[in-house]
């Protein structure tokens, strides 16, 4: 039947209505997708920024922005797979959503980072109370597929009265607070303080300078600190310690810039340079003392270097290139380097050990100090931390522990080195506890390579073994070892064989 004009019109208009509705639905969907996180169905970063902008513009009472970041989420993903990781994120999102108040906004910004906008918080104390309640809710164990997972999270927050801060400033401040919380350890909740911003700016600046320093070539150097036989003062080895001479700020301590290099990943190229430089110096000492001074070289290795698949190959080619005896090279790792990805670290350490290189556990007695590591770890040497040495008394818990560690070392065939020995008294105490090797300002501070060569000519650190007419260019900072260095004939004659400086 032919269509009348009004039928056609009716058809056309219903098609248009359909198309309009469809378009509206599509736009709604698009808008939803643009502002929501698919995984948790929470709002995403765009939505959070939108809500925050509105809240700041509306002139409401003070609000708090909270950033919540899961602790160790990477480990969950790595060990249990992404599916379980995703379910954990959904659970955390749901918990935050339930625990937040009416009118508060909860969004997932990225990865394992959530943001909460708390409205009407009043004071900082009030904000903290509400955030603590949120966090208690988040940090409950969760059962996923029969696995009982521990959930931990850190949070940073910043308060703002409308009109006093922009969205950009506020988000930057909360980020700074979250970084401070992360640095404070697991499960911390940290409020933003202006001083943190300066510290962050300083870190950012220094990180930039560190990149320049790596390419500039003349700002980084290595110092070497002797490791000695306590009874005789004989130098058994040296530890390489990196030094940074900043062009305007002067020397910067590795305690400051190594963590920065670790956080930015710069430790990988820096560590590669340190290892190369140090091993080549060891080879140079071998040439300088051709009768084979049995010197060992310790090099510190950070966790991030252990994560680098290239490390094993680099050590191997350095040994090849320089022809050093691998047994003379000791890599120092700390226990904290092992908590990140123990399996991968162990695999690499075993490969390195298989070349004949030895391993030392640095700063033993601080941090996690889990004795169980000693069972699984292929360590040859324990370096007992300075804090232990400082607290050591003749009798008391420190002395008993030191004796215990000495026995443990003997039982496991592990050598011990006491770090940070500064006084004759400390030397006496560690020696009477049975420790045979030491390192510390008592014998020598870290020195330049030529200064170490100078010391090696005499072999022993202590006045008893140095000639009366010491060379004028004798390294500064060499501390005298009173009386002790009961002459070691073998070393003496070695020194005497050589030309007197
Ligand atoms: P560490 O590996 O435990 O190195 C020993 C630190 O103790 C050195 O500090 C050394 O100068 C200091 N020290 C030695 N004897 C004494 C003493 O008698 N008294 C006192 N108070 N301190 C003493 P330094 O050179 O400032 O290095 C600090 C830390 O920075 C090192 O601790 C190590 O963790 C890290 N570091 C240094 N160089 C490197 C490096 O080349 N690579 C890596 N990854 N880390 C490094
Ligand atoms: Mg060390
Ligand atoms: Mg140490």
């Amino acid at each position: 039947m032919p269509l009348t004009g009004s039928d056609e019109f009716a058809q056309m208009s219903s098609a248009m209505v359909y198309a309009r509705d469809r378009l509206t639905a599509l736009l709604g969907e698009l808008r939803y997708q643009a502002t929501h996180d698919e995984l948790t169905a929470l709002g995403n970063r765009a939505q959070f920024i939108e809500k925050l902008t509105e809240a700041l513009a509306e002139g409401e009472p003070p609000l708090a922005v909270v950033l919540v970041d899961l602790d160790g989420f990477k480990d969950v993903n790595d060990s249990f797979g992404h599916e379980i990781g995703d379910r954990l994120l959904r659970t955390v999102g749901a918990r935050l959503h339930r625990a937040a108040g009416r009118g508060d906004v909860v969004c997932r910004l990225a990865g394992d980072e959530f943001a909460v906008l708390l409205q009407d918080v009043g004071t900082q104390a009030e904000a903290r109370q509400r955030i603590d309640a949120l966090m208690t809710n988040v940090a409950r164990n969760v059962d996923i597929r029969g696995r009982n997972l521990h959930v931990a999270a850190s949070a940073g927050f910043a308060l703002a009265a409308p009109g006093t801060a922009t969205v950009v400033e506020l988000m930057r401040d909360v980020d700074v607070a979250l970084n401070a919380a992360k640095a404070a350890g697991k499960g911390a909740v940290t409020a933003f303080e202006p001083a943190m911003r300066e510290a962050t700016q300083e870190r950012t600046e220094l990180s930039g300078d560190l990149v320049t320093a790596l390419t500039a070539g003349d700002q980084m150097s290595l110092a070497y600190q002797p490791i000695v036989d306590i009874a005789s003062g004989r130098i058994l080895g040296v530890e390489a310690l990196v030094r940074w001479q900043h062009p305007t700020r002067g020397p910067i301590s590795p305690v400051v810039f190594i963590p920065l290099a670790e956080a930015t990943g710069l430790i990988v190229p820096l560590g590669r340079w340190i290892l190369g430089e140090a091993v080549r110096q060891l080879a140079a000492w071998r040439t300088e003392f051709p009768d084979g001074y049995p010197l060992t070289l310790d090099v510190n290795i950070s966790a991030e270097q252990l994560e680098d698949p290239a490390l094993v190959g680099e050590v191997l080619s350095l040994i090849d290139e320089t022809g050093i005896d691998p047994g003379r090279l000791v890599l120092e790792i700390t226990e904290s380097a092992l908590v990140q990805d123990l399996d991968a670290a162990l695999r690499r350490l075993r490969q390195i050990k298989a070349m004949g290189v030895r391993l030392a556990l640095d700063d033993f007695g601080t941090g996690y100090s889990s004795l169980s590591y000693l069972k699984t770890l292929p360590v040859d040497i324990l370096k007992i931390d300075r804090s232990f040495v400082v607290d050591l008394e003749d009798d008391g818990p420190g002395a008993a522990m030191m004796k215990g560690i000495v026995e443990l070392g003997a039982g496991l065939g592990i050598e011990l080195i006491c770090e940070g020995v500064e006084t004759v008294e400390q030397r006496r105490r560690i020696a009477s506890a049975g420790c045979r090797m030491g390192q510390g300002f008592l014998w020598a501070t870290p020195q330049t390579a030529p200064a170490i060569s100078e010391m090696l000519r005499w072999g022993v650190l202590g006045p008893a073994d140095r000639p009366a007419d010491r060379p004028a260019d004798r390294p500064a900072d060499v501390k005298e070892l009173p009386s002790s260095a009961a002459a070691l004939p073998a070393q003496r004659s070695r020194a005497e064989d050589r030309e007197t400086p």
Side-chain angles (χ1 to χ4, degrees):
M1 203 170 56
L3 289 174
T4 65
S6 67
D7 284 341
E8 262 183 69
F9 182 74
Q11 262 184 6
M12 229 165 71
S13 69
S14 80
M16 270 170 69
V17 169
Y18 174 77
R20 189 203 56 202
D21 289 351
R22 181 90 194 97
L23 202 64
T24 312
L26 266 175
L27 280 175
E29 229 169 88
L30 273 177
R31 174 156 170 80
Y32 182 86
Q33 276 174 16
T35 52
H36 283 78
D37 165 46
E38 209 181 332
L39 183 71
T40 58
L42 292 171
N44 64 8
R45 182 181 289 275
Q47 174 154 97
F48 192 77
I49 298 298
E50 198 178 302
K51 298 275 183 198
L52 180 58
T53 312
E54 280 169 17
L56 282 175
E58 273 166 15
E60 307 250 326
L63 49 86
V65 177
V66 193
L67 280 185
V68 178
D69 189 286
L70 296 189
D71 296 327
F73 179 66
K74 186 177 171 295
D75 293 343
V76 173
N77 253 344
D78 289 351
S79 344
F80 303 114
H82 287 267
E83 208 185 314
I84 297 225
D86 283 354
R87 291 179 70 146
L88 179 63
L89 290 176
R90 264 189 235 126
T91 306
V92 169
R95 283 178 180 177
L96 279 172
H97 184 68
R98 268 201 305 272
R102 270 166 141 260
D104 293 344
V105 180
V106 178
C107 292
R108 176 175 169 237
L109 301 193
D112 60 340
E113 191 173 292
F114 295 83
V116 184
L117 173 57
L118 295 178
Q119 309 266 15
D120 198 3
V121 285
T123 62
Q124 175 141 323
E126 206 177 302
R128 184 174 280 278
Q129 223 173 21
R130 281 172 64 184
I131 296 164
D132 283 345
L134 276 181
M135 300 300 279
T136 312
N137 238 291
V138 168
R140 285 179 289 124
N141 280 14
V142 54
D143 202 76
I144 298 178
R145 296 237 175 105
R147 288 180 199 281
N148 193 254
L149 296 184
H150 173 67
V151 186
S154 307
F157 71 97
L159 249 53
T164 58
T166 66
V167 172
V168 174
E169 282 165 356
L170 202 50
M171 289 306 283
R172 188 196 54 202
D173 292 351
V174 197
D175 213 43
V176 166
L178 177 63
N179 281 337
K182 283 274 171 193
K186 290 183 188 216
V189 174
T190 306
F192 171 76
E193 278 157 37
M196 289 178 185
R197 195 185 297 146
E198 282 145 38
T200 307
Q201 273 164 2
E202 163 114 354
R203 278 169 61 91
T204 314
E205 247 177 65
L206 264 191
S207 303
D209 294 349
L210 200 53
V211 176
T212 318
L214 285 187
T215 44
D218 56 349
Q219 294 180 27
M220 292 288 172
S221 64
L222 292 187
Y224 299 88
Q225 187 178 30
I227 294 168
V228 302
D229 174 64
I230 292 174
S232 61
R234 185 164 76 99
I235 301 173
L236 303 171
V238 290
E239 174 176 4
L241 295 160
V242 67
R243 295 290 175 259
W244 180 14
Q245 182 67 29
H246 190 282
T248 54
R249 296 169 190 235
I252 296 182
S253 164
V255 177
V256 173
F257 74 83
I258 290 288
L260 209 59
E262 289 172 343
T264 52
L266 285 171
I267 191 68
V268 172
L270 176 61
R272 188 178 300 137
W273 176 81
I274 292 168
L275 192 64
E277 182 83 0
V279 168
R280 284 186 197 103
Q281 181 56 55
L282 180 67
W285 276 318
R286 200 188 49 173
T287 315
E288 196 179 349
F289 301 99
D291 55 349
Y293 195 99
L295 189 73
T296 58
L297 168 77
D298 282 36
V299 181
N300 294 284
I301 299 286
S302 295
E304 292 70 16
Q305 290 175 270
L306 281 181
E307 280 169 20
D308 176 18
L311 178 73
V312 177
E314 278 163 20
V315 174
L316 192 62
S317 54
L318 264 175
I319 293 171
D320 257 11
E321 174 201 318
T322 56
I324 59 150
D325 170 2
R328 300 267 136 222
L329 177 61
V330 179
L331 299 189
E332 290 191 7
I333 49 169
T334 57
E335 286 160 300
S336 49
L338 299 167
V339 287
Q340 308 202 351
D341 184 355
L342 184 62
D343 286 341
L346 271 180
R347 213 172 329 115
R348 250 156 234 151
L349 290 175
R350 294 211 173 96
Q351 287 170 326
I352 290 173
K353 279 263 327 185
M355 298 174 209
V357 172
R358 294 191 300 153
L359 294 178
L361 198 53
D362 203 355
D363 305 341
F364 186 75
T366 59
Y368 297 85
S369 283
S370 160
L371 285 180
S372 62
Y373 279 140
L374 294 183
K375 270 198 315 203
T376 39
L377 262 185
V379 281
D380 306 276
I381 300 159
L382 280 187
K383 296 194 77 175
I384 300 169
D385 192 68
R386 174 172 174 262
S387 54
F388 232 89
V389 174
V390 170
D391 293 342
L392 201 62
E393 292 159 1
D394 277 326
D395 283 309
M401 272 169 92
M402 184 70 93
K403 283 196 177 116
I405 297 174
V406 170
E407 262 172 48
L408 185 85
L412 294 172
I414 294 175
E415 291 176 8
L416 303 180
I417 298 174
C418 275
E419 292 188 282
V421 183
E422 289 181 356
T423 66
V424 178
E425 198 48 32
Q426 287 168 351
R427 186 180 58 100
R428 187 184 61 71
R429 287 187 176 137
I430 57 171
S432 76
C435 188
R436 303 222 312 268
M437 288 188 275
Q439 177 180 351
F441 296 170
L442 173 67
W443 294 286
T445 56
Q447 305 284 320
T448 62
I452 291 287
S453 296
E454 183 62 37
M455 291 176 178
L456 290 178
R457 267 180 214 115
W458 300 104
V460 178
L461 290 178
D465 292 89
R466 260 188 231 120
D469 54 338
R470 292 195 203 109
D473 62 347
R474 172 180 165 255
D477 276 341
V478 180
K479 295 277 161 46
E480 311 274 312
L481 177 64
S483 70
S484 76
L488 261 191
Q491 289 301 313
R492 266 274 264 270
S493 63
R494 178 180 294 157
E496 278 157 6
D497 285 348
R498 254 171 235 122
E499 54 180 299
T500 312

